[in-house]
Amino acid sequence: MAVDQHAAPGSEPHASKAVDQGSTAHRRKAWIVLALLVGLMLVNFADKVVVGLAGVGMKQELGLNDRDFGFIQSSFFWLFSLGSVLGGWLGGKVRARWLLAGVAALWVLSLAPMAFQVGFTTIVACRVLLGFAEGPTTALAMQVAHSWFPAHQRAVPSSIVVAGAGLGPLIAAPVLTWVISEHSWHAAFGVLAAFGAVVVVLWLIGGDAGPESAAAEEAPDGGTAAVVLPRRVPLGSLLRTGTLIGAMLLFFVAYANTAIKVSWLPLYLEEGLGYDATTAGNLVALPYLGSATAVITVGFWSRSLTERGVSNRVTRGVLPAVMVLGSGACVITYSSLDRGPLQLVLLVLSACLSAAGFGAGFAGLSDVVPALQRGAVFGIVTGFYSAAGIVAPMVMGNMVAAGHTRAAGYGDGFLLLGVFMAVGAVVALLLIHPDRDARKLAQQGRGATIGRPRGPVV
Protein backbone atom coordinates (compact mmCIF):
# COMPACT_ATOMS: atom_id res chain seq x y z
CA MET A 1 0.00 0.00 0.00
CA ALA A 2 1.35 3.43 -0.94
CA VAL A 3 1.61 5.98 1.84
CA ASP A 4 3.15 9.42 2.17
CA GLN A 5 6.86 8.69 2.43
CA HIS A 6 7.53 12.20 3.70
CA ALA A 7 5.12 12.28 6.63
CA ALA A 8 6.47 13.79 9.82
CA PRO A 9 8.11 11.37 12.27
CA GLY A 10 5.65 9.92 14.66
CA SER A 11 2.67 10.32 12.36
CA GLU A 12 0.69 7.20 11.45
CA PRO A 13 -0.17 6.17 7.89
CA HIS A 14 -3.81 6.70 7.04
CA ALA A 15 -4.63 2.99 6.81
CA SER A 16 -6.32 2.09 10.04
CA LYS A 17 -8.62 -0.38 8.36
CA ALA A 18 -6.23 -2.14 6.05
CA VAL A 19 -7.66 -5.10 4.24
CA ASP A 20 -6.65 -7.42 1.47
CA GLN A 21 -8.09 -5.70 -1.58
CA GLY A 22 -7.69 -8.90 -3.56
CA SER A 23 -9.88 -10.95 -1.23
CA THR A 24 -13.11 -12.37 -2.54
CA ALA A 25 -15.10 -10.79 0.28
CA HIS A 26 -13.69 -7.36 -0.47
CA ARG A 27 -14.40 -7.62 -4.19
CA ARG A 28 -17.94 -8.84 -3.53
CA LYS A 29 -18.64 -6.00 -1.12
CA ALA A 30 -17.15 -3.46 -3.55
CA TRP A 31 -19.50 -4.52 -6.32
CA ILE A 32 -22.52 -4.62 -4.00
CA VAL A 33 -21.82 -1.05 -2.92
CA LEU A 34 -21.29 -0.05 -6.55
CA ALA A 35 -24.70 -1.53 -7.43
CA LEU A 36 -26.32 0.46 -4.63
CA LEU A 37 -24.62 3.62 -5.87
CA VAL A 38 -26.05 2.93 -9.32
CA GLY A 39 -29.48 2.66 -7.69
CA LEU A 40 -28.99 6.05 -6.04
CA MET A 41 -27.88 7.61 -9.33
CA LEU A 42 -30.83 5.99 -11.09
CA VAL A 43 -33.29 7.69 -8.75
CA ASN A 44 -31.26 10.89 -8.87
CA PHE A 45 -31.67 11.29 -12.61
CA ALA A 46 -35.21 9.93 -12.78
CA ASP A 47 -36.10 12.79 -10.41
CA LYS A 48 -34.51 15.24 -12.82
CA VAL A 49 -36.26 14.03 -15.97
CA VAL A 50 -39.78 13.73 -14.56
CA VAL A 51 -40.62 17.43 -14.96
CA GLY A 52 -39.71 17.25 -18.64
CA LEU A 53 -41.97 14.23 -19.09
CA ALA A 54 -44.78 15.94 -17.18
CA GLY A 55 -44.14 19.26 -18.89
CA VAL A 56 -47.04 19.35 -21.34
CA GLY A 57 -49.64 18.38 -18.72
CA MET A 58 -48.07 20.69 -16.14
CA LYS A 59 -48.11 23.64 -18.54
CA GLN A 60 -51.74 23.00 -19.45
CA GLU A 61 -52.94 22.55 -15.86
CA LEU A 62 -51.13 25.62 -14.51
CA GLY A 63 -51.27 27.82 -17.61
CA LEU A 64 -47.49 28.10 -17.93
CA ASN A 65 -45.69 29.57 -20.92
CA ASP A 66 -42.23 28.55 -22.17
CA ARG A 67 -40.41 31.09 -20.02
CA ASP A 68 -42.33 29.95 -16.92
CA PHE A 69 -41.44 26.35 -17.63
CA GLY A 70 -37.79 27.23 -18.22
CA PHE A 71 -37.88 29.04 -14.85
CA ILE A 72 -39.14 25.89 -13.14
CA GLN A 73 -36.47 23.76 -14.77
CA SER A 74 -33.76 26.25 -13.88
CA SER A 75 -34.91 26.48 -10.24
CA PHE A 76 -33.73 22.92 -9.69
CA PHE A 77 -30.16 24.18 -10.03
CA TRP A 78 -30.36 27.36 -7.91
CA LEU A 79 -28.96 25.68 -4.79
CA PHE A 80 -27.46 22.68 -6.58
CA SER A 81 -23.93 24.13 -6.41
CA LEU A 82 -24.32 25.03 -2.73
CA GLY A 83 -25.47 21.49 -2.00
CA SER A 84 -22.51 20.10 -3.96
CA VAL A 85 -19.93 22.09 -2.02
CA LEU A 86 -21.59 21.53 1.36
CA GLY A 87 -22.04 17.81 0.69
CA GLY A 88 -18.44 17.47 -0.45
CA TRP A 89 -17.24 19.14 2.75
CA LEU A 90 -19.44 16.88 4.86
CA GLY A 91 -18.15 13.90 2.88
CA GLY A 92 -14.92 14.04 4.83
CA LYS A 93 -16.67 14.41 8.19
CA VAL A 94 -19.86 12.32 8.11
CA ARG A 95 -19.98 8.58 7.45
CA ALA A 96 -21.07 7.88 3.88
CA ARG A 97 -23.85 5.53 4.99
CA TRP A 98 -25.67 8.27 6.87
CA LEU A 99 -24.81 11.18 4.58
CA LEU A 100 -26.05 9.57 1.35
CA ALA A 101 -29.13 8.22 3.11
CA GLY A 102 -29.87 11.69 4.44
CA VAL A 103 -29.65 13.45 1.09
CA ALA A 104 -31.76 10.73 -0.56
CA ALA A 105 -34.39 11.12 2.16
CA LEU A 106 -34.57 14.83 1.27
CA TRP A 107 -35.28 13.82 -2.32
CA VAL A 108 -38.31 11.88 -1.12
CA LEU A 109 -39.54 14.81 0.96
CA SER A 110 -39.26 17.15 -2.03
CA LEU A 111 -41.12 14.79 -4.38
CA ALA A 112 -44.03 13.86 -2.09
CA PRO A 113 -45.94 17.21 -2.25
CA MET A 114 -45.93 17.05 -6.06
CA ALA A 115 -48.16 13.99 -5.90
CA PHE A 116 -51.00 16.33 -4.92
CA GLN A 117 -52.46 19.56 -6.30
CA VAL A 118 -49.80 22.24 -6.15
CA GLY A 119 -49.25 25.74 -7.50
CA PHE A 120 -46.37 27.37 -9.31
CA THR A 121 -44.65 28.57 -6.12
CA THR A 122 -44.82 25.14 -4.47
CA ILE A 123 -43.38 23.48 -7.56
CA VAL A 124 -40.46 25.91 -7.58
CA ALA A 125 -39.85 25.39 -3.84
CA CYS A 126 -39.88 21.60 -4.23
CA ARG A 127 -37.49 21.72 -7.17
CA VAL A 128 -35.10 24.03 -5.29
CA LEU A 129 -35.05 21.62 -2.32
CA LEU A 130 -34.57 18.64 -4.61
CA GLY A 131 -31.69 20.35 -6.40
CA PHE A 132 -30.01 21.23 -3.12
CA ALA A 133 -30.30 17.63 -1.91
CA GLU A 134 -29.17 16.10 -5.19
CA GLY A 135 -26.23 18.48 -5.58
CA PRO A 136 -23.65 16.36 -3.74
CA THR A 137 -24.82 12.99 -5.04
CA THR A 138 -22.39 12.54 -7.93
CA ALA A 139 -19.40 13.76 -5.91
CA LEU A 140 -20.24 11.54 -2.94
CA ALA A 141 -20.95 8.54 -5.15
CA MET A 142 -17.59 8.96 -6.90
CA GLN A 143 -15.80 9.36 -3.58
CA VAL A 144 -17.36 6.17 -2.21
CA ALA A 145 -16.76 4.21 -5.43
CA HIS A 146 -13.10 5.25 -5.55
CA SER A 147 -12.63 4.19 -1.93
CA TRP A 148 -13.32 0.57 -2.93
CA PHE A 149 -10.98 0.35 -5.94
CA PRO A 150 -7.25 1.03 -6.48
CA ALA A 151 -6.12 3.84 -8.77
CA HIS A 152 -5.64 1.88 -12.00
CA GLN A 153 -9.14 0.35 -11.76
CA ARG A 154 -11.16 3.53 -11.11
CA ALA A 155 -12.16 4.27 -14.70
CA VAL A 156 -14.60 1.35 -14.65
CA PRO A 157 -16.43 2.16 -11.37
CA SER A 158 -16.48 5.86 -12.32
CA SER A 159 -18.12 4.96 -15.61
CA ILE A 160 -20.60 2.60 -13.95
CA VAL A 161 -21.65 5.35 -11.53
CA VAL A 162 -22.19 7.71 -14.46
CA ALA A 163 -24.08 4.93 -16.26
CA GLY A 164 -26.55 4.93 -13.38
CA ALA A 165 -27.42 8.47 -14.42
CA GLY A 166 -28.36 7.12 -17.84
CA LEU A 167 -30.32 4.19 -16.46
CA GLY A 168 -32.58 6.48 -14.44
CA PRO A 169 -34.22 8.25 -17.39
CA LEU A 170 -33.94 5.08 -19.52
CA ILE A 171 -36.20 3.20 -17.11
CA ALA A 172 -38.20 6.18 -15.91
CA ALA A 173 -39.10 7.66 -19.31
CA PRO A 174 -41.40 4.88 -20.60
CA VAL A 175 -42.69 3.93 -17.12
CA LEU A 176 -43.50 7.47 -16.03
CA THR A 177 -44.92 8.32 -19.46
CA TRP A 178 -47.35 5.44 -19.01
CA VAL A 179 -48.20 6.57 -15.45
CA ILE A 180 -48.82 10.12 -16.68
CA SER A 181 -51.00 9.02 -19.60
CA GLU A 182 -53.02 6.52 -17.54
CA HIS A 183 -53.28 8.56 -14.34
CA SER A 184 -51.72 12.03 -14.07
CA TRP A 185 -48.43 13.81 -13.84
CA HIS A 186 -48.96 14.01 -10.08
CA ALA A 187 -48.96 10.19 -9.90
CA ALA A 188 -45.52 10.09 -11.52
CA PHE A 189 -44.07 12.10 -8.65
CA GLY A 190 -45.75 9.78 -6.15
CA VAL A 191 -44.17 6.74 -7.80
CA LEU A 192 -40.72 8.34 -7.65
CA ALA A 193 -41.14 9.27 -3.99
CA ALA A 194 -42.04 5.68 -3.10
CA PHE A 195 -39.17 4.22 -5.11
CA GLY A 196 -36.75 6.71 -3.55
CA ALA A 197 -37.79 5.60 -0.07
CA VAL A 198 -37.01 1.97 -0.98
CA VAL A 199 -33.54 2.94 -2.23
CA VAL A 200 -32.84 4.82 1.02
CA VAL A 201 -33.61 1.69 3.03
CA LEU A 202 -31.43 -0.51 0.79
CA TRP A 203 -28.51 1.90 1.10
CA LEU A 204 -28.81 1.94 4.88
CA ILE A 205 -28.69 -1.85 4.90
CA GLY A 206 -25.73 -2.42 2.58
CA GLY A 207 -24.03 0.81 1.61
CA ASP A 208 -20.95 2.56 3.01
CA ALA A 209 -17.51 3.86 2.07
CA GLY A 210 -14.68 1.40 1.51
CA PRO A 211 -11.66 0.71 3.71
CA GLU A 212 -9.11 3.49 3.68
CA SER A 213 -6.48 1.22 2.14
CA ALA A 214 -8.59 0.96 -1.01
CA ALA A 215 -7.77 4.60 -1.69
CA ALA A 216 -4.06 3.82 -1.90
CA GLU A 217 -2.36 4.78 -5.13
CA GLU A 218 -1.14 1.53 -6.64
CA ALA A 219 0.49 0.87 -9.95
CA PRO A 220 -1.23 -1.56 -12.32
CA ASP A 221 1.27 -4.26 -11.36
CA GLY A 222 0.25 -3.96 -7.71
CA GLY A 223 3.39 -2.12 -6.60
CA THR A 224 3.80 1.41 -5.37
CA ALA A 225 2.84 4.09 -7.88
CA ALA A 226 5.62 6.14 -9.42
CA VAL A 227 3.94 9.32 -8.16
CA VAL A 228 2.73 9.32 -4.56
CA LEU A 229 0.63 12.36 -3.73
CA PRO A 230 0.97 14.03 -0.36
CA ARG A 231 -1.80 13.27 2.09
CA ARG A 232 -2.98 16.86 1.69
CA VAL A 233 -2.30 19.59 -0.86
CA PRO A 234 -3.27 23.26 -0.44
CA LEU A 235 -6.67 23.72 -2.05
CA GLY A 236 -5.42 26.67 -4.08
CA SER A 237 -2.65 24.55 -5.58
CA LEU A 238 -5.15 21.87 -6.59
CA LEU A 239 -7.57 24.30 -8.18
CA ARG A 240 -4.78 25.95 -10.18
CA THR A 241 -3.71 22.74 -11.89
CA GLY A 242 -4.51 22.46 -15.56
CA THR A 243 -6.21 19.12 -14.97
CA LEU A 244 -8.70 20.56 -12.46
CA ILE A 245 -9.38 23.65 -14.59
CA GLY A 246 -9.74 21.64 -17.78
CA ALA A 247 -11.92 18.98 -16.16
CA MET A 248 -14.27 21.57 -14.67
CA LEU A 249 -14.63 23.26 -18.06
CA LEU A 250 -15.17 19.93 -19.82
CA PHE A 251 -17.79 18.87 -17.27
CA PHE A 252 -19.47 22.30 -17.51
CA VAL A 253 -20.10 22.09 -21.25
CA ALA A 254 -21.04 18.40 -21.04
CA TYR A 255 -23.48 19.09 -18.21
CA ALA A 256 -25.09 21.90 -20.22
CA ASN A 257 -25.97 19.19 -22.74
CA THR A 258 -27.27 16.94 -19.96
CA ALA A 259 -29.35 19.72 -18.39
CA ILE A 260 -31.02 20.60 -21.68
CA LYS A 261 -31.62 16.93 -22.48
CA VAL A 262 -33.23 16.39 -19.07
CA SER A 263 -35.24 19.62 -19.13
CA TRP A 264 -36.30 20.07 -22.73
CA LEU A 265 -35.80 16.88 -24.76
CA PRO A 266 -39.32 15.47 -24.16
CA LEU A 267 -40.87 18.81 -25.11
CA TYR A 268 -38.55 19.17 -28.09
CA LEU A 269 -39.64 15.81 -29.45
CA GLU A 270 -43.32 16.55 -28.86
CA GLU A 271 -43.64 20.30 -29.51
CA GLY A 272 -40.68 20.93 -31.80
CA LEU A 273 -40.69 17.78 -33.92
CA GLY A 274 -44.34 16.77 -33.67
CA TYR A 275 -44.11 13.30 -32.12
CA ASP A 276 -47.11 12.20 -30.06
CA ALA A 277 -46.69 11.99 -26.28
CA THR A 278 -46.25 8.21 -26.12
CA THR A 279 -43.71 8.12 -28.95
CA ALA A 280 -41.82 11.05 -27.45
CA GLY A 281 -41.68 9.31 -24.07
CA ASN A 282 -40.27 6.17 -25.66
CA LEU A 283 -37.76 8.08 -27.80
CA VAL A 284 -36.48 9.94 -24.75
CA ALA A 285 -35.18 6.60 -23.46
CA LEU A 286 -32.89 6.08 -26.47
CA PRO A 287 -30.19 8.65 -25.59
CA TYR A 288 -30.06 7.30 -22.04
CA LEU A 289 -29.79 3.71 -23.24
CA GLY A 290 -26.94 4.70 -25.52
CA SER A 291 -25.28 6.73 -22.78
CA ALA A 292 -25.36 3.91 -20.23
CA THR A 293 -23.89 1.48 -22.75
CA ALA A 294 -21.24 3.88 -24.04
CA VAL A 295 -20.03 5.07 -20.67
CA ILE A 296 -19.40 1.53 -19.38
CA THR A 297 -17.75 0.47 -22.65
CA VAL A 298 -15.42 3.47 -22.61
CA GLY A 299 -14.67 2.87 -18.93
CA PHE A 300 -13.41 -0.64 -19.67
CA TRP A 301 -11.57 0.63 -22.74
CA SER A 302 -9.87 3.37 -20.73
CA ARG A 303 -8.84 0.84 -18.07
CA SER A 304 -7.49 -1.51 -20.73
CA LEU A 305 -5.42 1.28 -22.27
CA THR A 306 -4.04 2.24 -18.84
CA GLU A 307 -3.04 -1.35 -18.08
CA ARG A 308 -1.23 -1.51 -21.45
CA GLY A 309 0.86 1.51 -20.48
CA VAL A 310 -1.01 4.31 -22.25
CA SER A 311 -0.61 7.53 -20.27
CA ASN A 312 -3.37 9.07 -18.16
CA ARG A 313 -2.96 12.16 -20.32
CA VAL A 314 -4.47 10.15 -23.18
CA THR A 315 -6.95 7.91 -21.36
CA ARG A 316 -8.31 10.55 -18.94
CA GLY A 317 -7.60 13.77 -20.83
CA VAL A 318 -7.46 13.47 -24.59
CA LEU A 319 -10.04 10.67 -24.84
CA PRO A 320 -12.85 12.40 -22.85
CA ALA A 321 -12.20 15.80 -24.44
CA VAL A 322 -12.35 14.38 -27.96
CA MET A 323 -15.60 12.61 -27.10
CA VAL A 324 -17.24 15.80 -25.83
CA LEU A 325 -15.96 17.61 -28.93
CA GLY A 326 -17.60 14.95 -31.09
CA SER A 327 -20.79 15.32 -29.09
CA GLY A 328 -20.85 19.03 -29.78
CA ALA A 329 -20.36 18.39 -33.49
CA CYS A 330 -23.36 16.03 -33.45
CA VAL A 331 -25.51 18.65 -31.71
CA ILE A 332 -24.54 21.30 -34.29
CA THR A 333 -25.45 18.91 -37.11
CA TYR A 334 -28.82 17.65 -35.84
CA SER A 335 -29.94 21.17 -34.88
CA SER A 336 -30.51 21.95 -38.57
CA LEU A 337 -32.05 18.61 -39.63
CA ASP A 338 -35.70 17.76 -40.02
CA ARG A 339 -37.33 14.94 -38.10
CA GLY A 340 -36.12 11.55 -39.21
CA PRO A 341 -33.80 8.60 -38.50
CA LEU A 342 -30.56 10.52 -39.16
CA GLN A 343 -31.49 13.21 -36.66
CA LEU A 344 -32.32 10.62 -34.00
CA VAL A 345 -29.04 8.78 -34.61
CA LEU A 346 -27.07 12.00 -34.15
CA LEU A 347 -29.09 12.91 -31.06
CA VAL A 348 -28.36 9.54 -29.46
CA LEU A 349 -24.69 9.64 -30.53
CA SER A 350 -24.30 13.07 -28.98
CA ALA A 351 -25.63 11.80 -25.66
CA CYS A 352 -23.35 8.73 -25.81
CA LEU A 353 -20.18 10.70 -26.46
CA SER A 354 -20.92 13.35 -23.86
CA ALA A 355 -21.70 10.85 -21.09
CA ALA A 356 -18.73 8.61 -21.93
CA GLY A 357 -16.35 11.56 -21.86
CA PHE A 358 -17.74 12.62 -18.50
CA GLY A 359 -17.15 9.21 -16.92
CA ALA A 360 -13.60 8.82 -18.22
CA GLY A 361 -12.72 12.37 -17.22
CA PHE A 362 -13.83 11.96 -13.63
CA ALA A 363 -11.30 9.19 -13.05
CA GLY A 364 -8.55 11.65 -13.94
CA LEU A 365 -9.42 13.83 -10.96
CA SER A 366 -8.38 11.10 -8.53
CA ASP A 367 -4.93 11.09 -10.15
CA VAL A 368 -4.24 14.60 -8.86
CA VAL A 369 -6.44 14.88 -5.73
CA PRO A 370 -5.27 13.17 -2.50
CA ALA A 371 -7.76 10.65 -1.13
CA LEU A 372 -8.46 12.67 2.03
CA GLN A 373 -9.50 15.69 -0.05
CA ARG A 374 -11.56 14.03 -2.75
CA GLY A 375 -14.92 14.64 -1.09
CA ALA A 376 -14.35 18.38 -0.78
CA VAL A 377 -12.74 18.79 -4.21
CA PHE A 378 -15.32 16.63 -5.98
CA GLY A 379 -17.99 18.78 -4.31
CA ILE A 380 -16.38 21.98 -5.61
CA VAL A 381 -16.02 20.52 -9.10
CA THR A 382 -19.64 19.35 -9.11
CA GLY A 383 -20.82 22.69 -7.77
CA PHE A 384 -19.02 24.48 -10.59
CA TYR A 385 -20.17 22.38 -13.52
CA SER A 386 -23.74 22.13 -12.22
CA ALA A 387 -24.06 25.90 -12.66
CA ALA A 388 -24.56 25.02 -16.32
CA GLY A 389 -27.89 23.57 -15.23
CA ILE A 390 -29.03 27.01 -14.09
CA VAL A 391 -28.18 28.77 -17.32
CA ALA A 392 -28.81 26.18 -20.03
CA PRO A 393 -32.55 25.48 -19.45
CA MET A 394 -33.37 29.18 -19.20
CA VAL A 395 -31.39 30.00 -22.34
CA MET A 396 -33.20 27.24 -24.21
CA GLY A 397 -36.57 28.51 -22.97
CA ASN A 398 -35.76 32.01 -24.20
CA MET A 399 -34.53 30.70 -27.55
CA VAL A 400 -37.71 28.67 -28.05
CA ALA A 401 -39.86 31.66 -27.15
CA ALA A 402 -37.91 33.96 -29.49
CA GLY A 403 -38.00 31.63 -32.51
CA HIS A 404 -40.34 32.48 -35.39
CA THR A 405 -41.59 28.90 -35.02
CA ARG A 406 -41.15 26.47 -32.16
CA ALA A 407 -39.02 24.18 -34.32
CA ALA A 408 -36.79 27.10 -35.33
CA GLY A 409 -36.42 28.19 -31.71
CA TYR A 410 -35.33 24.71 -30.65
CA GLY A 411 -32.93 24.54 -33.61
CA ASP A 412 -31.27 27.83 -32.65
CA GLY A 413 -30.96 26.69 -29.04
CA PHE A 414 -29.29 23.39 -29.92
CA LEU A 415 -26.96 25.11 -32.40
CA LEU A 416 -25.75 27.45 -29.66
CA LEU A 417 -25.28 24.48 -27.31
CA GLY A 418 -23.21 22.56 -29.87
CA VAL A 419 -20.83 25.44 -30.51
CA PHE A 420 -20.43 25.99 -26.76
CA MET A 421 -19.57 22.33 -26.23
CA ALA A 422 -17.04 22.23 -29.07
CA VAL A 423 -15.15 25.31 -27.89
CA GLY A 424 -15.07 24.12 -24.26
CA ALA A 425 -13.83 20.65 -25.24
CA VAL A 426 -10.94 22.05 -27.29
CA VAL A 427 -9.77 24.26 -24.40
CA ALA A 428 -10.09 21.33 -21.95
CA LEU A 429 -8.07 19.12 -24.29
CA LEU A 430 -5.15 21.54 -24.00
CA LEU A 431 -5.34 21.76 -20.19
CA ILE A 432 -5.95 18.25 -18.82
CA HIS A 433 -2.69 16.44 -18.03
CA PRO A 434 -3.01 14.25 -14.89
CA ASP A 435 0.53 12.80 -15.02
CA ARG A 436 2.22 16.20 -15.25
CA ASP A 437 0.09 17.78 -12.53
CA ALA A 438 0.46 14.81 -10.17
CA ARG A 439 4.25 15.09 -10.44
CA LYS A 440 4.13 18.82 -9.69
CA LEU A 441 1.93 18.32 -6.64
CA ALA A 442 4.14 15.49 -5.35
CA GLN A 443 7.20 17.71 -5.69
CA GLN A 444 5.46 20.56 -3.89
CA GLY A 445 4.51 18.19 -1.09
CA ARG A 446 8.10 16.98 -0.71
CA GLY A 447 9.40 20.55 -0.67
CA ALA A 448 6.87 21.60 1.96
CA THR A 449 7.75 18.57 4.10
CA ILE A 450 11.49 19.15 3.87
CA GLY A 451 11.08 22.73 5.02
CA ARG A 452 8.80 21.81 7.94
CA PRO A 453 10.22 21.43 11.48
CA ARG A 454 10.35 17.87 12.74
CA GLY A 455 7.48 17.00 15.04
CA PRO A 456 3.88 15.90 14.97
CA VAL A 457 1.60 17.13 12.22
CA VAL A 458 -1.44 19.04 13.43
Side-chain angles (χ1 to χ4, degrees):
M1 181 185 68
V3 298
D4 183 4
Q5 303 298 325
H6 306 280
S11 62
E12 294 296 328
H14 191 62
S16 58
K17 295 187 292 183
V19 296
D20 177 11
Q21 292 181 43
S23 70
T24 301
H26 175 84
R27 289 196 300 269
R28 183 186 303 114
K29 179 65 175 179
W31 286 101
I32 290 173
V33 171
L34 193 60
L36 291 171
L37 290 173
V38 169
L40 286 167
M41 293 296 292
L42 188 154
V43 177
N44 183 277
F45 268 76
D47 294 347
K48 290 181 177 70
V49 78
V50 64
V51 172
L53 296 171
V56 173
M58 188 180 293
K59 288 167 68 176
Q60 292 173 350
E61 180 178 317
L62 301 176
L64 306 176
N65 58 35
D66 291 320
R67 287 189 174 89
D68 293 333
F69 189 74
F71 187 86
I72 289 174
Q73 293 284 43
S74 175
S75 67
F76 174 87
F77 296 97
W78 291 353
L79 296 182
F80 195 96
S81 297
L82 176 62
S84 299
V85 175
L86 178 60
W89 177 74
L90 290 173
K93 302 178 182 299
V94 179
R95 187 173 172 179
R97 171 172 291 170
W98 309 118
L99 185 56
L100 273 170
V103 298
L106 286 179
W107 309 346
V108 176
L109 291 177
S110 69
L111 292 167
M114 302 283 283
F116 307 95
Q117 295 297 320
V118 290
F120 179 81
T121 302
T122 302
I123 292 175
V124 170
C126 288
R127 297 303 286 178
V128 170
L129 175 60
L130 181 62
F132 174 77
E134 291 195 348
T137 305
T138 299
L140 293 174
M142 288 293 185
Q143 180 188 7
V144 172
H146 289 183
S147 74
W148 284 98
F149 295 87
H152 68 284
Q153 295 180 358
R154 289 188 189 128
V156 172
S158 295
S159 297
I160 290 175
V161 169
V162 175
L167 290 175
L170 170 64
I171 297 171
V175 172
L176 295 181
T177 297
W178 177 85
V179 172
I180 291 168
S181 63
E182 293 296 319
H183 301 280
S184 70
W185 64 267
H186 297 284
F189 283 90
V191 169
L192 283 178
F195 186 67
V198 172
V199 171
V200 170
V201 173
L202 292 176
W203 175 256
L204 285 172
I205 294 172
D208 209 348
E212 291 164 340
S213 61
E217 305 303 322
E218 297 180 358
D221 62 0
T224 302
V227 177
V228 180
L229 293 171
R231 289 186 61 190
R232 289 190 181 274
V233 174
L235 185 60
S237 297
L238 283 173
L239 295 179
R240 286 193 298 270
T241 63
T243 296
L244 263 291
I245 295 171
M248 287 194 290
L249 177 60
L250 186 69
F251 297 161
F252 188 92
V253 299
Y255 200 75
N257 186 33
T258 298
I260 288 180
K261 180 175 65 177
V262 168
S263 303
W264 284 99
L265 181 58
L267 280 81
Y268 171 55
L269 294 172
E270 191 169 347
E271 297 180 339
L273 300 180
Y275 291 101
D276 62 79
T278 300
T279 302
N282 291 331
L283 291 177
V284 163
L286 293 179
Y288 295 105
L289 173 61
S291 296
T293 303
V295 76
I296 294 175
T297 301
V298 171
F300 278 100
W301 182 31
S302 176
R303 172 177 166 176
S304 174
L305 291 174
T306 298
E307 292 177 340
R308 291 205 299 268
V310 179
S311 71
N312 289 336
R313 160 69 173 155
V314 173
T315 60
R316 300 175 184 182
V318 174
L319 180 62
V322 168
M323 287 182 171
V324 174
L325 175 61
S327 176
C330 290
V331 174
I332 292 171
T333 304
Y334 78 65
S335 67
S336 61
L337 296 178
D338 293 328
R339 187 177 89 173
L342 178 59
Q343 187 198 46
L344 284 177
V345 169
L346 290 174
L347 193 154
V348 173
L349 182 59
S350 169
C352 293
L353 292 173
S354 182
F358 194 99
F362 230 110
L365 294 181
S366 287
D367 295 329
V368 298
V369 180
L372 294 178
Q373 296 175 275
R374 283 183 194 137
V377 173
F378 285 7
I380 293 171
V381 171
T382 304
F384 175 82
Y385 75 68
S386 63
I390 300 175
V391 179
M394 293 189 69
V395 170
M396 179 60 80
N398 288 328
M399 297 291 282
V400 172
H404 60 87
T405 65
R406 301 190 69 79
Y410 279 113
D412 292 341
F414 282 112
L415 175 62
L416 179 62
L417 170 65
V419 172
F420 181 61
M421 293 177 66
V423 172
V426 170
V427 176
L429 174 63
L430 300 175
L431 291 174
I432 300 175
H433 200 316
D435 300 319
R436 174 201 63 198
D437 292 332
R439 286 192 295 269
K440 287 181 179 179
L441 293 173
Q443 291 169 0
Q444 290 175 15
R446 285 195 292 271
T449 303
I450 293 171
R452 187 168 58 218
R454 296 174 71 86
V457 178
V458 295

